[in-house]
Amino acid sequence: MWEKIKDAFRYNLMDVLFMIAINCLFICIELAGLALSLYLMDTMGIIGFLMSVFGLMFFFFMQFFFNKMILDNL
């Protein structure tokens, strides 16, 4: 496992940095979505909370598949 990580940093540094940047972007989006879910729960109740949770799940799965595609190409 560690050998694969060392090889990824040695030979595919740009892909690893791109994956880190994508993860930071998605973490920021998910934090904004969490704030939105709290606001919508306050104003719309459970319906607003469910809308924001499904939106967060969309971004979570998009992040997961981006990472999977990048890791498959390493």
Side-chain angles (χ1 to χ4, degrees), residues 36-37 39-41 43-53:
L36 179 67
S37 71
Y39 176 73
L40 286 177
M41 190 171 61
T43 57
M44 294 178 63
I46 192 70
I47 301 296
F49 180 72
L50 289 175
M51 285 174 17
S52 61
V53 165

Side-chain angles (χ1 to χ4, degrees), residues 43-66:
T43 57
M44 294 178 63
I46 192 70
I47 301 296
F49 180 72
L50 289 175
M51 285 174 17
S52 61
V53 165
F54 285 124
L56 285 172
M57 283 176 30
F58 170 73
F59 283 113
F60 173 75
F61 284 116
M62 198 162 56
Q63 177 186 12
F64 173 75
F65 288 120
F66 276 150

Side-chain angles (χ1 to χ4, degrees), residues 2-70:
W2 289 109
E3 293 300 321
K4 185 174 181 178
I5 293 172
K6 287 179 188 176
D7 288 340
F9 275 111
R10 187 175 301 132
Y11 299 114
N12 299 323
L13 183 62
M14 291 304 293
D15 291 336
V16 172
L17 291 177
F18 179 68
M19 189 170 65
I20 291 170
I22 289 284
N23 283 331
C24 290
L25 179 69
F26 277 111
I27 287 171
C28 291
I29 290 171
E30 288 171 0
L31 287 175
L34 181 64
L36 179 67
S37 71
L38 293 176
Y39 176 73
L40 286 177
M41 190 171 61
D42 187 38
T43 57
M44 294 178 63
I46 192 70
I47 301 296
F49 180 72
L50 289 175
M51 285 174 17
S52 61
V53 165
F54 285 124
L56 285 172
M57 283 176 30
F58 170 73
F59 283 113
F60 173 75
F61 284 116
M62 198 162 56
Q63 177 186 12
F64 173 75
F65 288 120
F66 276 150
N67 285 334
K68 174 117 177 62
M69 285 188 303
I70 292 171

